[in-house]
Amino acid sequence: MPAFDASAYGRGIADIYDATVRDLPTEHAVSRLYDLAEGGPVLEFGIGTGRLALPLAARGLTVAGIDGSADMVEVLRAKPGGERIPVTIGDFSTATVDGEFALVVLSTNTVYALPSQDAQVACFRNAAAHLRPGGRFVVEAWVPDLTAFAGGSVLRLLSMSEEVVVAEAARLSPAEQLMRTTRVRLSAEGVRMLPANHRYAWPAELDLMARLAGMRREHRWSDWAGSPFGDDSRAHVSVYLWSA
């Protein structure tokens, strides 16, 4: 496998990223994160184009970020208020910023962008190292569902409207817990190929990573609205608490 390049995903999608996440429940996410921060400073791993960071800052919170993609951060900088958010360019499993934070956020399945279990464990430890006593690490991710894969691959329609059709081809490597995907986005502007790799993990594995980093799970919901997590949940928002 090629060496991990933290900037690769952003290079391929930065110019249209905001369009691809337009239907996500941003208001619910921002409200939940604002409450969890309890007025304290927030650090977002994978801050990207600022979908969460900018509205959190607009609510009066101090926000900083780490992102592997200078292209994504350039889009953030072009938005009102984006130039006031300090961002470190680097791999968020190892890159650091000054200060202690009430909340570290890793949303939108971004934990799976890290290429290995070791990198994900390092990310949890990095989050804990940035938290003040009583601080929280919030992870949003999908729950692996391997039943859709026949012969280790799948082609599926993700969304369809009169303006945009999005399909995804995916190939599974269960031994590595790796899913290689390419999304195909068709619109009036043309066809875009959006490749991404996911080193997926089940919620219980993420809980163990948190324990290794000195954190314990405080909450787990199916979504940002706080719906109960259960057997049929296809995603989760997990909150981990750190204490010195």
Side-chain angles (χ1 to χ4, degrees):
M1 182 185 299
F4 177 60
D5 180 358
S7 67
Y9 177 74
R11 279 199 305 273
I13 199 174
D15 62 321
I16 62 168
Y17 179 78
D18 287 346
T20 69
V21 297
R22 190 171 292 147
D23 295 331
L24 295 183
T26 299
E27 290 187 13
H28 280 303
V30 170
S31 293
R32 179 70 62 181
L33 293 171
Y34 180 82
D35 290 343
L36 290 170
E38 297 181 334
V42 177
L43 173 63
E44 185 175 3
F45 287 175
I47 192 171
T49 64
R51 179 179 68 92
L52 300 177
L54 287 170
L56 286 171
R59 289 192 177 201
L61 297 182
T62 298
V63 182
I66 300 174
D67 202 281
S69 171
D71 299 274
M72 296 281 272
V73 175
E74 184 178 353
V75 177
L76 165 64
R77 292 278 181 253
K79 297 178 179 180
E83 74 284 353
R84 294 194 293 273
I85 296 179
V87 180
T88 296
I89 303 298
D91 179 346
F92 55 75
S93 69
T94 56
T96 61
V97 301
D98 292 333
E100 289 187 331
F101 296 84
L103 193 69
V104 176
V105 181
L106 183 57
S107 71
T108 330
N109 313 313
T110 309
V111 64
Y112 297 154
L114 295 169
S116 66
Q117 186 184 72
D118 285 345
Q120 290 167 352
V121 168
C123 174
F124 273 74
R125 287 177 171 154
N126 197 29
H130 284 91
L131 288 172
R132 67 192 188 188
R136 296 177 170 102
F137 181 35
V138 182
V139 179
E140 177 194 16
W142 43 263
V143 177
D145 179 10
L146 310 186
T147 60
F149 289 82
S153 62
V154 67
L155 177 63
R156 52 195 172 191
L157 179 67
L158 297 183
S159 63
M160 184 176 68
S161 69
E162 292 183 359
E163 292 79 25
V164 181
V165 175
V166 180
E168 181 181 67
R171 187 177 298 278
L172 194 67
S173 298
E176 300 174 316
Q177 288 181 212
L178 186 65
M179 187 184 299
R180 297 175 174 87
T181 68
T182 295
R183 290 192 175 185
V184 183
R185 189 174 189 272
L186 301 95
S187 69
E189 286 74 38
V191 178
R192 290 290 295 269
M193 310 292 281
L194 306 171
N197 291 332
H198 309 263
R199 193 279 166 182
Y200 59 86
W202 279 268
E205 185 180 357
L206 297 178
D207 289 351
L208 183 56
M209 293 181 193
R211 290 177 63 187
L212 291 172
M215 296 182 283
R216 63 174 177 83
R217 194 179 83 213
E218 183 182 29
H219 303 290
R220 172 163 289 141
W221 304 295
S222 286
D223 52 36
W224 290 109
S227 302
F229 182 83
D231 291 343
D232 296 329
S233 299
R234 298 274 51 90
H236 64 99
V237 175
S238 297
V239 182
Y240 299 101
L241 190 68
W242 187 82
S243 57

